């Protein structure tokens, strides 16, 4: 009688917000030493998943973000709102909070 289906949730950032997926923690150093999981820091690199439309200034001009989906970025050590969408751990930052873009 009732049809059930799995709904995939998606999140579209608003304003100048940027949705980022952080890179996975490294558990092995370049020399081959395995690190315990509690000693490995969260990486400061990530990939942009989605970008908001931008913000308007006082005079009404729209400032479009310079980042786009798929860009590799440098993130601050702390900050960002941690959210979970469809089992993925993502972080929401303002464009001003992102430190840089890798080329």
């Amino acid at each position: 009688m009732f049809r059930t289906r799995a709904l995939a949730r998606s999140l579209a950032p608003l304003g100048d917000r940027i949705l980022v997926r952080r890179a996975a923690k490294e558990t092995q150093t370049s020399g081959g030493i395995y690190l315990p999981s509690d000693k490995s820091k969260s990486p400061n690199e990530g990939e942009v998943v989605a970008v908001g439309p931008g913000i308007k200034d006082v005079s009404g001009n729209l400032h479009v973000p310079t980042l786009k989906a798929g860009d590799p970025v440098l993130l601050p050590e702390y900050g960002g709102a941690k959210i979970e969408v469809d089992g993925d751990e993502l972080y929401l930052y303002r464009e001003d909070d992102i430190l840089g873009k890798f080329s």
Side-chain angles (χ1 to χ4, degrees):
M1 190 179 302
F2 294 105
R3 293 184 186 184
T4 59
R5 60 187 164 126
L7 296 175
R9 291 178 22 179
S10 63
L11 179 67
L14 300 175
D16 66 339
R17 304 293 198 298
I18 310 290
L19 192 62
V20 176
R21 177 179 294 118
R22 282 189 178 260
K25 292 182 181 180
E26 291 188 21
T27 57
Q28 185 177 11
T29 64
S30 60
I33 299 172
Y34 285 95
L35 301 172
S37 61
D38 60 340
K39 296 295 181 188
S40 59
K41 293 184 357 179
S42 178
N44 290 352
E45 297 177 18
E47 179 184 354
V48 175
V49 176
V51 179
I55 58 172
K56 291 186 179 183
D57 61 9
V58 178
S59 61
N61 297 327
L62 181 66
H63 293 278
V64 180
T66 56
L67 298 171
K68 61 184 183 305
D71 284 346
V73 292
L74 179 65
L75 303 169
E77 189 171 351
Y78 299 104
K82 180 179 172 182
I83 57 175
E84 190 169 317
V85 177
D86 290 336
D88 287 337
E89 190 175 280
L90 303 172
Y91 291 84
L92 195 60
Y93 291 94
R94 287 190 176 273
E95 185 181 26
D96 294 342
D97 294 340
I98 294 180
L99 302 175
K101 173 182 161 183
F102 294 108
S103 53

